[in-house]
Amino acid sequence: MRDRFPLLVIGGLVLLGVLGSYLFRGAARGSFADTLSTYRSEKDGARALYLLGDESGVPVQRLQRNLDLIAEGTNLVLLAVGFSDRVEEDIELELPLVLSSDAGVDEEELADHHRGWNRFRASLASKEEREKLLEHVKKGATLVYLPWGSRPCPLLGALEVKLSAADRAVGMRTLVPAQPSPYTLGVERTETAVQSFLALPDDGVPLLLDDTLGGVVAALVPYGQGRVVVIGAPELAMNEALPRADNAQLWLSLMRAASATGPLAFDEFHHGFTSDRSVAEFAARYGLHFAAAQLLLGLSLWAASLRRFGRPRTPPQDIRLGGTDALFAASRIYREGRHYSYAASLLARGASQDLAPGAGIPPRTEPAEVAAALSARGRADLARALTEVIHLSHATTSEAQLRELARKAASARLLIKPGRRRAEKKALAPAARPSQSRPSVERSNRRTS
């Protein structure tokens, strides 16, 4: 354990450094994330809105992928996400141009919306994403969309909703429910700054009206089997706006109504936070995970069938007799030739090879080095037994000493795992009885002589 303690200390320090880096990266999102990002904890972020839904039991989540592939049953919240008529490749190549004032984007609105490098990282939603999103809504999903500013939006154009700029000099406005609805349940008035008023199609339903001017600020627009909630006051979702009047109650009712058919996902991909789709996610989407699970189960059963559990089996009769004959023939050769020293060295090396794995070194290592390694590993009993075998092998000059050396080597092996060695010895005990094969042994000895 002592030799592993420095490794444990180093591993702990590395783990602490990795966890600390992730902690600081997560904390940095609170101040450096984009405006109206649910990661941003500053006054113009939307982290409080996300936590409000999460703590109130609303099934909220963050979407860090583009809108090309939306999980079935997922409802979406898009906070200040811009849409473009360009395809995705053109947006990536011409993003600085799209975000410049020459492209028809109000520079003051852009400065309020994007911060620092988010001007280049927080991309617009492409034409393909818009089509996939509308198709998803048409199948029955709910979309809550807060456009930034009053410039024309391709998504709202498809919904036949038009924006008209509100006077920002007025500042805070009071909004009241246009009519009772699940989206404004429990709301008497809300207070927020308004960027645009909405002109609705014939089937549009107003949700919030300006208490003074009567303009529509929030509305519900049916689309296919789904619905889109459009709010022309993005400040309503900011952290600093939730404590005012019934703003928090409005969002709580809105999120509960929008999540009635499935989880509510806040888009973070277009705020600069991305994560790649995994192969496992695609497999789960198309049911391939069941096939993979069956394959893994089959491989596990096949691997288990290759391994035999239980006590060692007794060798077949022919193999036992042949092994016994060979053993007695070899023993007679060594006995008649008086090769006691050589046989002793073989016994010592065999014992060393069996004990080497317990020392964590290769089996071909010299016996003395194996004994030293065993002592360092805390197996003094094995080291003493092997050292005794080595010393006896050097002093063996007779058959009696050779038999004693063999007994010592066998005793050393039994110290490795006493229970397993005893079981093996008991299972193989019949193989050590030469009475049934004595005639064949004598014939072998005569042939050897």
Side-chain angles (χ1 to χ4, degrees), residues 366-415:
E366 292 297 324
E369 297 180 10
V370 175
L374 288 171
S375 179
R377 282 290 184 98
R379 293 303 305 269
D381 53 343
L382 292 178
R384 286 193 299 269
L386 182 58
T387 302
E388 186 176 1
V389 169
I390 295 172
H391 290 164
L392 288 177
S393 66
H394 294 324
T396 299
T397 57
S398 64
E399 185 175 349
Q401 293 176 336
L402 187 61
R403 285 196 297 267
E404 179 64 20
L405 175 62
R407 283 193 293 269
K408 294 291 185 182
S411 300
R413 289 184 175 89
L414 292 175
L415 293 176

Side-chain angles (χ1 to χ4, degrees), residues 130-152:
R130 184 182 78 246
E131 294 175 351
K132 294 291 185 180
L133 177 61
L134 290 174
E135 182 181 352
H136 181 71
V137 173
K138 186 180 293 185
K139 294 179 180 179
T142 299
L143 168 64
V144 180
Y145 180 49
L146 279 70
W148 187 272
S150 57
R151 58 183 179 272

